[in-house]
mmCIF file with all atom_site columns, all heavy atoms in Angstrom:
data_model
loop_
_atom_site.group_PDB
_atom_site.id
_atom_site.type_symbol
_atom_site.label_atom_id
_atom_site.label_alt_id
_atom_site.label_comp_id
_atom_site.label_asym_id
_atom_site.label_entity_id
_atom_site.label_seq_id
_atom_site.pdbx_PDB_ins_code
_atom_site.Cartn_x
_atom_site.Cartn_y
_atom_site.Cartn_z
_atom_site.occupancy
_atom_site.B_iso_or_equiv
_atom_site.pdbx_formal_charge
_atom_site.auth_seq_id
_atom_site.auth_comp_id
_atom_site.auth_asym_id
_atom_site.auth_atom_id
_atom_site.pdbx_PDB_model_num
ATOM 1   N N   . LEU A 1 99  ? 95.707  97.228 106.940 1.00 0.00 ? 99  LEU A N   1
ATOM 2   C CA  . LEU A 1 99  ? 95.190  95.904 107.289 1.00 0.00 ? 99  LEU A CA  1
ATOM 3   C C   . LEU A 1 99  ? 94.320  95.980 108.538 1.00 0.00 ? 99  LEU A C   1
ATOM 4   O O   . LEU A 1 99  ? 93.359  95.234 108.677 1.00 0.00 ? 99  LEU A O   1
ATOM 5   C CB  . LEU A 1 99  ? 96.380  94.960 107.525 1.00 0.00 ? 99  LEU A CB  1
ATOM 6   C CG  . LEU A 1 99  ? 96.178  93.483 107.280 1.00 0.00 ? 99  LEU A CG  1
ATOM 7   C CD1 . LEU A 1 99  ? 95.662  93.209 105.876 1.00 0.00 ? 99  LEU A CD1 1
ATOM 8   C CD2 . LEU A 1 99  ? 97.480  92.731 107.497 1.00 0.00 ? 99  LEU A CD2 1
ATOM 9   N N   . ALA A 1 104 ? 87.578  96.617 105.116 1.00 0.00 ? 104 ALA A N   1
ATOM 10  C CA  . ALA A 1 104 ? 87.335  96.282 103.709 1.00 0.00 ? 104 ALA A CA  1
ATOM 11  C C   . ALA A 1 104 ? 88.649  95.928 103.014 1.00 0.00 ? 104 ALA A C   1
ATOM 12  O O   . ALA A 1 104 ? 88.725  94.964 102.239 1.00 0.00 ? 104 ALA A O   1
ATOM 13  C CB  . ALA A 1 104 ? 86.635  97.456 103.009 1.00 0.00 ? 104 ALA A CB  1
ATOM 14  N N   . PHE A 1 105 ? 89.711  96.713 103.286 1.00 0.00 ? 105 PHE A N   1
ATOM 15  C CA  . PHE A 1 105 ? 91.025  96.432 102.704 1.00 0.00 ? 105 PHE A CA  1
ATOM 16  C C   . PHE A 1 105 ? 91.518  95.060 103.167 1.00 0.00 ? 105 PHE A C   1
ATOM 17  O O   . PHE A 1 105 ? 92.051  94.274 102.373 1.00 0.00 ? 105 PHE A O   1
ATOM 18  C CB  . PHE A 1 105 ? 92.016  97.526 103.115 1.00 0.00 ? 105 PHE A CB  1
ATOM 19  C CG  . PHE A 1 105 ? 93.433  97.265 102.657 1.00 0.00 ? 105 PHE A CG  1
ATOM 20  C CD1 . PHE A 1 105 ? 93.789  97.356 101.319 1.00 0.00 ? 105 PHE A CD1 1
ATOM 21  C CD2 . PHE A 1 105 ? 94.420  96.927 103.576 1.00 0.00 ? 105 PHE A CD2 1
ATOM 22  C CE1 . PHE A 1 105 ? 95.100  97.110 100.897 1.00 0.00 ? 105 PHE A CE1 1
ATOM 23  C CE2 . PHE A 1 105 ? 95.726  96.685 103.174 1.00 0.00 ? 105 PHE A CE2 1
ATOM 24  C CZ  . PHE A 1 105 ? 96.062  96.775 101.832 1.00 0.00 ? 105 PHE A CZ  1
ATOM 25  N N   . ALA A 1 106 ? 91.340  94.756 104.460 1.00 0.00 ? 106 ALA A N   1
ATOM 26  C CA  . ALA A 1 106 ? 91.782  93.457 104.990 1.00 0.00 ? 106 ALA A CA  1
ATOM 27  C C   . ALA A 1 106 ? 91.070  92.311 104.267 1.00 0.00 ? 106 ALA A C   1
ATOM 28  O O   . ALA A 1 106 ? 91.697  91.299 103.914 1.00 0.00 ? 106 ALA A O   1
ATOM 29  C CB  . ALA A 1 106 ? 91.524  93.384 106.496 1.00 0.00 ? 106 ALA A CB  1
ATOM 30  N N   . LYS A 1 107 ? 89.774  92.468 104.008 1.00 0.00 ? 107 LYS A N   1
ATOM 31  C CA  . LYS A 1 107 ? 89.014  91.428 103.301 1.00 0.00 ? 107 LYS A CA  1
ATOM 32  C C   . LYS A 1 107 ? 89.555  91.242 101.877 1.00 0.00 ? 107 LYS A C   1
ATOM 33  O O   . LYS A 1 107 ? 89.654  90.121 101.374 1.00 0.00 ? 107 LYS A O   1
ATOM 34  C CB  . LYS A 1 107 ? 87.531  91.812 103.245 1.00 0.00 ? 107 LYS A CB  1
ATOM 35  C CG  . LYS A 1 107 ? 86.815  91.682 104.578 1.00 0.00 ? 107 LYS A CG  1
ATOM 36  C CD  . LYS A 1 107 ? 86.616  90.228 104.975 1.00 0.00 ? 107 LYS A CD  1
ATOM 37  C CE  . LYS A 1 107 ? 85.757  90.102 106.222 1.00 0.00 ? 107 LYS A CE  1
ATOM 38  N NZ  . LYS A 1 107 ? 85.662  88.708 106.685 1.00 0.00 ? 107 LYS A NZ  1
ATOM 39  N N   . GLU A 1 108 ? 89.915  92.351 101.247 1.00 0.00 ? 108 GLU A N   1
ATOM 40  C CA  . GLU A 1 108 ? 90.447  92.312 99.875  1.00 0.00 ? 108 GLU A CA  1
ATOM 41  C C   . GLU A 1 108 ? 91.780  91.546 99.851  1.00 0.00 ? 108 GLU A C   1
ATOM 42  O O   . GLU A 1 108 ? 92.016  90.700 98.979  1.00 0.00 ? 108 GLU A O   1
ATOM 43  C CB  . GLU A 1 108 ? 90.655  93.758 99.433  1.00 0.00 ? 108 GLU A CB  1
ATOM 44  C CG  . GLU A 1 108 ? 91.010  93.984 98.003  1.00 0.00 ? 108 GLU A CG  1
ATOM 45  C CD  . GLU A 1 108 ? 91.445  95.441 97.806  1.00 0.00 ? 108 GLU A CD  1
ATOM 46  O OE1 . GLU A 1 108 ? 90.674  96.362 98.158  1.00 0.00 ? 108 GLU A OE1 1
ATOM 47  O OE2 . GLU A 1 108 ? 92.579  95.632 97.338  1.00 0.00 ? 108 GLU A OE2 1
ATOM 48  N N   . VAL A 1 109 ? 92.659  91.834 100.831 1.00 0.00 ? 109 VAL A N   1
ATOM 49  C CA  . VAL A 1 109 ? 93.957  91.148 100.919 1.00 0.00 ? 109 VAL A CA  1
ATOM 50  C C   . VAL A 1 109 ? 93.744  89.658 101.170 1.00 0.00 ? 109 VAL A C   1
ATOM 51  O O   . VAL A 1 109 ? 94.382  88.805 100.544 1.00 0.00 ? 109 VAL A O   1
ATOM 52  C CB  . VAL A 1 109 ? 94.839  91.778 102.020 1.00 0.00 ? 109 VAL A CB  1
ATOM 53  C CG1 . VAL A 1 109 ? 96.076  90.922 102.290 1.00 0.00 ? 109 VAL A CG1 1
ATOM 54  C CG2 . VAL A 1 109 ? 95.254  93.191 101.628 1.00 0.00 ? 109 VAL A CG2 1
ATOM 55  N N   . MET A 1 110 ? 92.819  89.335 102.086 1.00 0.00 ? 110 MET A N   1
ATOM 56  C CA  . MET A 1 110 ? 92.572  87.911 102.393 1.00 0.00 ? 110 MET A CA  1
ATOM 57  C C   . MET A 1 110 ? 92.046  87.167 101.176 1.00 0.00 ? 110 MET A C   1
ATOM 58  O O   . MET A 1 110 ? 92.434  86.029 100.923 1.00 0.00 ? 110 MET A O   1
ATOM 59  C CB  . MET A 1 110 ? 91.603  87.790 103.570 1.00 0.00 ? 110 MET A CB  1
ATOM 60  C CG  . MET A 1 110 ? 92.245  88.093 104.909 1.00 0.00 ? 110 MET A CG  1
ATOM 61  S SD  . MET A 1 110 ? 91.164  87.707 106.318 1.00 0.00 ? 110 MET A SD  1
ATOM 62  C CE  . MET A 1 110 ? 90.390  89.280 106.602 1.00 0.00 ? 110 MET A CE  1
ATOM 63  N N   . ALA A 1 111 ? 91.179  87.807 100.423 1.00 0.00 ? 111 ALA A N   1
ATOM 64  C CA  . ALA A 1 111 ? 90.639  87.162 99.216  1.00 0.00 ? 111 ALA A CA  1
ATOM 65  C C   . ALA A 1 111 ? 91.770  86.872 98.226  1.00 0.00 ? 111 ALA A C   1
ATOM 66  O O   . ALA A 1 111 ? 91.856  85.777 97.659  1.00 0.00 ? 111 ALA A O   1
ATOM 67  C CB  . ALA A 1 111 ? 89.577  88.047 98.579  1.00 0.00 ? 111 ALA A CB  1
ATOM 68  N N   . ALA A 1 112 ? 92.662  87.841 98.044  1.00 0.00 ? 112 ALA A N   1
ATOM 69  C CA  . ALA A 1 112 ? 93.784  87.671 97.108  1.00 0.00 ? 112 ALA A CA  1
ATOM 70  C C   . ALA A 1 112 ? 94.757  86.594 97.575  1.00 0.00 ? 112 ALA A C   1
ATOM 71  O O   . ALA A 1 112 ? 95.379  85.914 96.750  1.00 0.00 ? 112 ALA A O   1
ATOM 72  C CB  . ALA A 1 112 ? 94.514  89.003 96.938  1.00 0.00 ? 112 ALA A CB  1
ATOM 73  N N   . ALA A 1 113 ? 94.893  86.432 98.894  1.00 0.00 ? 113 ALA A N   1
ATOM 74  C CA  . ALA A 1 113 ? 95.870  85.484 99.445  1.00 0.00 ? 113 ALA A CA  1
ATOM 75  C C   . ALA A 1 113 ? 95.234  84.139 99.802  1.00 0.00 ? 113 ALA A C   1
ATOM 76  O O   . ALA A 1 113 ? 95.905  83.268 100.371 1.00 0.00 ? 113 ALA A O   1
ATOM 77  C CB  . ALA A 1 113 ? 96.522  86.092 100.687 1.00 0.00 ? 113 ALA A CB  1
ATOM 78  N N   . ASN A 1 114 ? 93.950  83.969 99.480  1.00 0.00 ? 114 ASN A N   1
ATOM 79  C CA  . ASN A 1 114 ? 93.218  82.744 99.823  1.00 0.00 ? 114 ASN A CA  1
ATOM 80  C C   . ASN A 1 114 ? 93.249  82.428 101.314 1.00 0.00 ? 114 ASN A C   1
ATOM 81  O O   . ASN A 1 114 ? 93.398  81.276 101.716 1.00 0.00 ? 114 ASN A O   1
ATOM 82  C CB  . ASN A 1 114 ? 93.770  81.536 99.032  1.00 0.00 ? 114 ASN A CB  1
ATOM 83  C CG  . ASN A 1 114 ? 93.380  81.605 97.580  1.00 0.00 ? 114 ASN A CG  1
ATOM 84  O OD1 . ASN A 1 114 ? 92.248  81.978 97.250  1.00 0.00 ? 114 ASN A OD1 1
ATOM 85  N ND2 . ASN A 1 114 ? 94.311  81.280 96.700  1.00 0.00 ? 114 ASN A ND2 1
ATOM 86  N N   . THR A 1 243 ? 99.437  86.146 104.032 1.00 0.00 ? 243 THR A N   1
ATOM 87  C CA  . THR A 1 243 ? 99.097  87.569 104.142 1.00 0.00 ? 243 THR A CA  1
ATOM 88  C C   . THR A 1 243 ? 100.335 88.435 103.987 1.00 0.00 ? 243 THR A C   1
ATOM 89  O O   . THR A 1 243 ? 100.324 89.442 103.259 1.00 0.00 ? 243 THR A O   1
ATOM 90  C CB  . THR A 1 243 ? 98.412  87.843 105.503 1.00 0.00 ? 243 THR A CB  1
ATOM 91  O OG1 . THR A 1 243 ? 97.229  87.033 105.593 1.00 0.00 ? 243 THR A OG1 1
ATOM 92  C CG2 . THR A 1 243 ? 98.036  89.306 105.641 1.00 0.00 ? 243 THR A CG2 1
ATOM 93  N N   . GLU A 1 246 ? 101.395 88.370 100.353 1.00 0.00 ? 246 GLU A N   1
ATOM 94  C CA  . GLU A 1 246 ? 100.509 89.162 99.492  1.00 0.00 ? 246 GLU A CA  1
ATOM 95  C C   . GLU A 1 246 ? 100.805 90.654 99.622  1.00 0.00 ? 246 GLU A C   1
ATOM 96  O O   . GLU A 1 246 ? 100.846 91.388 98.625  1.00 0.00 ? 246 GLU A O   1
ATOM 97  C CB  . GLU A 1 246 ? 99.039  88.867 99.851  1.00 0.00 ? 246 GLU A CB  1
ATOM 98  C CG  . GLU A 1 246 ? 98.015  89.762 99.169  1.00 0.00 ? 246 GLU A CG  1
ATOM 99  C CD  . GLU A 1 246 ? 98.015  89.665 97.648  1.00 0.00 ? 246 GLU A CD  1
ATOM 100 O OE1 . GLU A 1 246 ? 98.511  88.656 97.094  1.00 0.00 ? 246 GLU A OE1 1
ATOM 101 O OE2 . GLU A 1 246 ? 97.517  90.614 97.001  1.00 0.00 ? 246 GLU A OE2 1
ATOM 102 N N   . LEU A 1 247 ? 101.046 91.125 100.853 1.00 0.00 ? 247 LEU A N   1
ATOM 103 C CA  . LEU A 1 247 ? 101.345 92.548 101.041 1.00 0.00 ? 247 LEU A CA  1
ATOM 104 C C   . LEU A 1 247 ? 102.695 92.904 100.415 1.00 0.00 ? 247 LEU A C   1
ATOM 105 O O   . LEU A 1 247 ? 102.853 93.984 99.848  1.00 0.00 ? 247 LEU A O   1
ATOM 106 C CB  . LEU A 1 247 ? 101.310 92.907 102.529 1.00 0.00 ? 247 LEU A CB  1
ATOM 107 C CG  . LEU A 1 247 ? 99.880  93.004 103.092 1.00 0.00 ? 247 LEU A CG  1
ATOM 108 C CD1 . LEU A 1 247 ? 99.899  92.992 104.606 1.00 0.00 ? 247 LEU A CD1 1
ATOM 109 C CD2 . LEU A 1 247 ? 99.179  94.266 102.596 1.00 0.00 ? 247 LEU A CD2 1
ATOM 110 N N   . ARG A 1 250 ? 102.266 93.277 96.707  1.00 0.00 ? 250 ARG A N   1
ATOM 111 C CA  . ARG A 1 250 ? 101.613 94.539 96.353  1.00 0.00 ? 250 ARG A CA  1
ATOM 112 C C   . ARG A 1 250 ? 102.552 95.738 96.456  1.00 0.00 ? 250 ARG A C   1
ATOM 113 O O   . ARG A 1 250 ? 102.152 96.863 96.165  1.00 0.00 ? 250 ARG A O   1
ATOM 114 C CB  . ARG A 1 250 ? 100.427 94.792 97.297  1.00 0.00 ? 250 ARG A CB  1
ATOM 115 C CG  . ARG A 1 250 ? 99.245  93.887 97.070  1.00 0.00 ? 250 ARG A CG  1
ATOM 116 C CD  . ARG A 1 250 ? 98.241  93.967 98.221  1.00 0.00 ? 250 ARG A CD  1
ATOM 117 N NE  . ARG A 1 250 ? 97.080  93.151 97.900  1.00 0.00 ? 250 ARG A NE  1
ATOM 118 C CZ  . ARG A 1 250 ? 95.854  93.620 97.710  1.00 0.00 ? 250 ARG A CZ  1
ATOM 119 N NH1 . ARG A 1 250 ? 95.601  94.922 97.835  1.00 0.00 ? 250 ARG A NH1 1
ATOM 120 N NH2 . ARG A 1 250 ? 94.860  92.821 97.408  1.00 0.00 ? 250 ARG A NH2 1
#
Side-chain angles (χ1 to χ4, degrees):
L99 207 55
F105 175 71
K107 287 289 187 185
E108 188 191 305
V109 170
M110 284 189 266
N114 288 320
T243 301
E246 172 61 21
L247 285 165
R250 288 167 176 245

